[in-house]
Amino acid sequence: MTGIAVFSGTTEGRTLSHQLAAEGIPVTVCVATEYGQIQQGEAPGITVHTGRLDPAGMAALVAGAALCVDATHPYAAQASANIRTACEQAGVPCLRLLRPASPLPEDALTAPDAASAARLLAGTQGNILLTTGAKELVVFGPLGGQRLIARVLPSHEGLDACAAAGIPARNIVAMQGPFTREMNEALLRQFSARYLVTKDGGEAGGFGAKVEAARAAGATLVVIRRPADGGASYEEVLGQCRKAVASWNR
């Protein structure tokens, strides 16, 4: 391929790909799911590949690109590792587009991963609103499905994950964001949740709205910390994409 390869599924990845295409730069975007494809949308100059790839498949997709941008979610550590490996194999430079981390409230509880967050909550009482996504739900199952409220995407995968964690249908909120502070607060109050479990998805992921909602509803915030990672800002990555394509076309 020529142009820029973007591994996306995030707001930043979508914005970057559409901006590059608007400037006449060909972009191949890789998203893992059909939901990601729908969110990506269509635009002239953008080719979308849907489906998860192993490093070999990633290397084949990026081969010949001027630059590859890893714009996956801040918590997609394994995907980022695979993308780096693929770019090394294909001889394509790789940049990590990483949204800024959020300041954490002093009274927030933190855990390095979902399993640790579940252990942290094992000795507590009261309902728990889980907003971490479907993949991590199963580790919270031992806390008791009756006290778990899961907010997941309205998909079969999300509902199946809730069932696997023993969460009853009445405790499932299947909705697509973004969610405002008011919506988060309403859910906390509706289910009398004493805890809100979240990742630091940054402003684009609605983290600030969750912080404000927990404070307003008197719920304790439990934050799964980000994996150690480094990266560049959106503006820096956009500039590097322009330079890479300009050099490639000389």
Side-chain angles (χ1 to χ4, degrees), residues 95-96 231-243:
L95 274 179
R96 176 72 163 121
S233 69
Y234 174 85
E235 292 76 14
E236 291 170 331
V237 170
L238 177 59
Q240 289 299 316
C241 287
R242 290 166 173 160
K243 290 180 180 178

Side-chain angles (χ1 to χ4, degrees), residues 130-135 137 149-155 157-162 167 171-177 179:
L130 300 171
T131 65
T132 60
K135 289 182 180 179
L137 289 182
I149 299 92
R151 189 168 72 193
V152 296
L153 289 172
S155 65
E157 293 81 4
L159 296 178
D160 289 346
C162 290
I167 300 172
N171 286 5
I172 300 173
V173 181
M175 297 179 67
Q176 177 182 327
F179 300 98

Side-chain angles (χ1 to χ4, degrees), residues 9 16 22 26 42 56 71 77-78 115 122 132 154 156 170 172 198 201 224 229 235-236:
L16 177 69
E42 298 180 359
Q78 187 57 58
T132 60
H156 292 297
R170 64 178 177 274
I172 300 173
T198 181
I224 299 173
D229 200 359
E235 292 76 14
E236 291 170 331

Side-chain angles (χ1 to χ4, degrees), residues 29 44 60 65 71 76 81 85 101 116 118 130 142-143 150 190 192 198-199 207 223 230 247:
V29 177
T85 298
S116 298
L130 300 171
L143 298 176
Q190 172 69 27
S192 301
T198 181
K199 297 174 180 177
F207 182 76
V223 181
S247 298

